[in-house]
Amino acid sequence: MNHDLTALVGRHGGDGSRLVQILREVMAVEGWISPPTITELARLLHLSRAHVEGVAGFYAFFATTPHGRFRVLFSDNVTDVMAGSHELRKRMLDSFRIELGEVSRDGLVSVGATSCTGLCDQGPALLVNGHAIARLTPARIGAITSLIRAGSPVEQWPDNLFTIDHHVERKDLLLGTELAPGAGIDAAIGRGRAGTVAEIEASLLRGRGGAGFSTGAKWKACAAAPGEQRYVVCNADEGEPGTFKDRELLREWAPLVVEGMTVAGWAVGAHKGLIYLRGEYLFLLPALEALLEERRRAGLLGAGIRGVPGFDFDVEIHLGAGAYVCGEESALLESLEGKRGIPRNRPPYPVTHGYRQQPTVVNNVETLVAAALIAARGADWFRAVGTPKSAGTKIHSVSGDVARPGIYEFPFGTSIRTLLTAAGATKTQAVMVGGPSGVLVSASEFDRRVAFEDVPSAGAFMVFDDSRDVLSVLDNFAHFFAHESCGFCTPCRVGTTVQRQILGRVVAGKGSRRDVDELLQVSRLLKATSHCGLGHTAGNAVLDGLTKFRPAFDRRLSSLDVPTFDLDAALAPAREATARDDAGAHLDEEGP
Ligand code: SF4
């Protein structure tokens, strides 16, 4: 332990609910969270050691065993894999003569995988000590390898390695409307608190995070709920593979995000807002902090906003630590309180029992941008675009087999075919709308429309042309869910693993028709019995695949009726127990 933990905890006010932020700082300085550090933090924060250890062990960006001084994590998102991330990863592993997940003997470097870095429009990408690097090529991998070998601190690496491109390809209602700072707040003050809630309700704005709940109804319920304090939380934890629109919104449109939070704060009577920023977007933090300062100086945050007595509202930023499940709003609240990101039982809902069990509005980044503009321009302006059940526009993150990956804003009701044409896609066989938890759409459905009443979407639009193996895509998604399941409930913990195992067998050509039947059963079980949205949706892609791409499954089966048993794979635990993995320990043609 070479860190002054007393000073660190002091900077966080000795507040145990800051534990995730405190552990992030420990990781940044020490590279891992050692047992003595856990013991000392528990003492200083007056928490049980088991609690601190549980939190340290929960998040992917934390490590309770030593990693290399340089911890490299390659994105395993399917579009990064399609762009060659596995080959580049192997190049780096070979260069350091280590295996995936292994630490080099001198402790210099470890190379692993992470689910998605939010850079799917400019992949392959990786994180090194938490810093994102996109557009990887063999030459860039060579440069990174040399810098690591030289022991050069990441903060001193050339700036051009960390450049993140802007790919905003189409603007519409939200991205194309200018708003003077404070214009939405002024209009909201003019309408009064109840009038602001009524305007948002009248706009028919629905949450852009996936569930599509009425934003106005949410604000109304929060404003009416009894409580000592109210909170506004911006869910900026976009972890769905294939989604990166919030990254751009938090860069170019961040003033609108904070303006939307302030309008929400006014409407529900909250004095505090929290942005939960996904850990992968660390590079956005300095500019966001500077924006908050600027708005404080301009009287747009702080006490008596716009001279209105009692309109006190300020915003602070929390960073996530690599847990997809924290995108679920109640898991996010747990994480904000410094706990493991385990989804809560619902009801009660966050609008009555949210952050610190107080009434809380949790809104997606895109929802808050829309709210700021609705406050300024009015409900009619917003409702005039879109469909009767899906007012306004949707911002899509388009990636995969397209000529122009990036951000596209289209009115709700736009067809999938229109999006594909705009992005320059050709020979498309499938689109995953909404990411791995969304809807897998086949070519015969490209005239379907993206809208809550047809194909809903949280924003990802992953395109696969006819050169891609759909089963490998599904296999990637199955690995993702098995990895990201928080393990709290049995149907999801076991179901996602079984799904991954069976699909792996089928992809390897060792599956049977009975395996396919089991896959169907597992997917349905996940949907029906899981505790939260992650489990409910973990089988979506496989179910769609079995329905829409059944011939691809049937062609891959080794036997139509007889289940196969992979004895060699079943003996893996025995090999591990005896520390044997040589050729003689395997059952193959060359083996005994
Ligand atoms: Fe955790 Fe999955 Fe259960 Fe959700 S469904 S609580 S992610 S185990």
Side-chain angles (χ1 to χ4, degrees):
M1 195 177 3
N2 46 29
H3 202 171
D4 185 346
L5 293 177
T6 306
L8 169 62
V9 168
R11 278 204 306 283
H12 288 272
D15 182 356
S17 74
R18 303 278 311 170
L19 182 58
V20 174
Q21 307 309 304
I22 290 169
L23 291 175
R24 279 195 62 100
E25 290 191 37
V26 171
M27 283 296 302
V29 174
E30 299 192 17
W32 70 299
I33 303 163
S34 66
T37 295
I38 290 172
T39 305
E40 184 63 1
L41 283 177
R43 188 184 71 77
L44 291 168
L45 291 164
H46 309 290
L47 297 169
S48 73
R49 193 182 186 285
H51 176 88
V52 178
E53 191 169 25
V55 174
F58 182 81
Y59 295 89
F61 289 176
F62 297 159
T64 51
T65 53
H67 280 271
R69 276 196 287 126
F70 293 88
R71 186 185 188 195
V72 182
L73 298 173
F74 279 80
S75 170
D76 234 353
N77 176 39
V78 69
T79 53
D80 288 75
V81 174
M82 283 156 53
S85 71
H86 284 178
E87 292 75 13
L88 294 168
R89 189 172 80 188
K90 181 159 189 328
R91 184 180 279 258
M92 185 178 278
L93 288 167
D94 289 349
S95 171
F96 289 117
R97 296 172 194 239
I98 53 175
E99 298 290 326
L100 190 67
E102 201 182 15
V103 184
S104 61
R105 273 200 204 159
D106 56 2
L108 180 71
V109 61
S110 55
V111 178
T114 188
S115 292
C116 178
T117 51
L119 296 162
C120 325
D121 55 331
Q122 44 201 296
L126 59 72
L127 300 172
V128 54
N129 291 357
H131 299 269
I133 301 181
R135 301 179 313 284
L136 295 175
T137 59
R140 280 164 79 81
I141 289 292
I144 294 166
T145 305
S146 300
L147 287 161
I148 291 175
R149 201 162 267 132
S152 168
V154 178
E155 292 71 22
Q156 294 172 17
W157 291 12
D159 287 345
N160 65 7
L161 272 178
F162 302 101
T163 308
I164 306 296
D165 289 343
H166 291 275
H167 289 145
V168 180
E169 300 291 338
R170 188 179 194 278
K171 297 179 180 179
D172 205 293
L173 196 68
L174 302 186
L175 304 184
T177 301
E178 299 279 331
L179 189 75
I185 297 170
D186 290 341
I189 292 169
R191 280 191 195 98
R193 296 181 195 274
T196 301
V197 172
E199 195 71 16
I200 296 294
E201 256 194 313
S203 74
L204 305 181
L205 173 64
R206 297 170 68 169
R208 281 5 188 191
F213 193 74
S214 158
T215 304
K218 205 181 238 191
W219 289 18
K220 196 176 192 173
C222 179
E228 290 159 17
Q229 289 282 341
R230 290 186 170 69
Y231 296 97
V232 174
V233 172
C234 169
N235 184 346
D237 192 41
E238 66 169 355
E240 187 78 33
T243 315
F244 48 88
K245 67 183 175 63
D246 291 352
R247 181 196 79 210
E248 287 306 308
L249 290 176
L250 290 162
R251 291 173 96 190
E252 281 194 48
W253 288 271
L256 283 186
V257 179
V258 182
E259 181 109 0
M261 292 181 75
T262 314
V263 168
W266 164 253
V268 305
H271 298 310
K272 185 167 180 178
L274 302 117
I275 298 176
Y276 188 97
L277 181 66
R278 75 179 297 213
E280 290 83 346
Y281 291 167
L282 179 66
F283 60 91
L284 296 175
L285 187 62
L288 287 172
E289 295 281 17
L291 171 70
L292 296 181
E293 259 318 305
E294 193 185 310
R295 289 182 74 91
R296 282 180 198 120
R297 281 198 300 273
L300 296 169
L301 286 177
I305 292 173
R306 292 307 222 199
V308 178
F311 185 6
D312 307 338
F313 186 78
D314 212 329
V315 173
E316 68 179 49
I317 303 171
H318 284 234
L319 277 160
Y324 166 73
V325 71
C326 288
E328 197 276 344
E329 63 178 5
S330 68
L332 182 147
L333 294 170
E334 289 288 292
S335 184
L336 278 176
E337 292 177 11
K339 303 175 198 159
R340 295 181 298 155
I342 306 278
R344 295 175 181 172
N345 287 327
R346 302 192 309 169
Y349 293 96
V351 286
T352 57
H353 296 74
Y355 181 60
R356 298 179 188 266
Q357 293 300 308
Q358 297 297 312
T360 303
V361 157
V362 183
N363 281 144
N364 172 269
V365 171
E366 186 181 342
T367 313
L368 289 163
V369 168
L373 289 167
I374 292 165
R377 297 296 188 102
D380 292 345
W381 168 82
F382 185 75
R383 219 176 31 211
V385 175
T387 73
K389 289 187 178 166
S390 307
T393 57
K394 182 78 201 90
I395 302 175
H396 303 272
S397 315
V398 179
S399 64
D401 294 316
V402 295
R404 293 174 293 281
I407 306 294
Y408 291 75
E409 184 187 11
F410 274 101
F412 266 121
T414 299
S415 73
I416 289 164
R417 193 180 303 285
T418 302
L419 261 117
L420 287 169
T421 304
T426 54
K427 299 184 178 174
T428 305
Q429 66 164 322
V431 183
M432 195 72 216
V433 182
S437 65
V439 183
L440 181 64
V441 176
S442 64
S444 64
E445 304 174 279
F446 287 169
D447 289 322
R448 290 182 68 184
R449 293 169 189 279
V450 180
F452 290 108
E453 59 269 40
D454 191 356
V455 183
S457 175
F461 194 91
M462 303 160 94
V463 180
F464 306 100
D465 70 18
D466 61 10
S467 72
R468 305 295 174 187
D469 173 21
V470 172
L471 265 64
S472 295
V473 171
L474 297 178
D475 189 41
N476 176 285
F477 294 164
H479 274 82
F480 167 74
F481 283 115
H483 182 257
E484 294 294 342
S485 168
C486 80
F488 172 74
C489 67
T490 308
C492 173
R493 186 180 62 246
V494 176
T496 52
T497 300
V498 170
Q499 176 174 264
R500 186 199 65 204
Q501 286 171 343
I502 300 176
L503 201 51
R505 233 175 9 244
V506 175
V507 169
K510 294 177 178 172
S512 70
R513 188 169 281 165
R514 199 175 294 183
D515 281 320
V516 171
D517 291 344
E518 257 184 58
L519 260 184
L520 270 172
Q521 270 181 15
V522 170
S523 306
R524 288 182 185 133
L525 195 85
L526 277 165
K527 195 179 276 292
T529 59
S530 294
H531 176 65
C532 84
L534 187 153
H536 293 156
T537 56
N540 281 2
V542 171
L543 268 178
D544 280 343
L546 284 166
T547 313
K548 301 170 186 177
F549 294 89
R550 187 56 184 254
F553 279 83
D554 290 342
R555 277 197 301 274
R556 200 69 73 85
L557 299 182
S558 68
S559 151
L560 287 184
D561 297 311
V562 186
T564 54
F565 180 69
D566 188 343
L567 182 58
D568 187 61
L571 288 172
R575 282 194 294 272
E576 203 177 325
T578 54
R580 276 197 66 186
D581 200 25
D582 54 284
H586 284 270
L587 294 172
D588 57 21
E589 306 88 76
E590 284 87 39

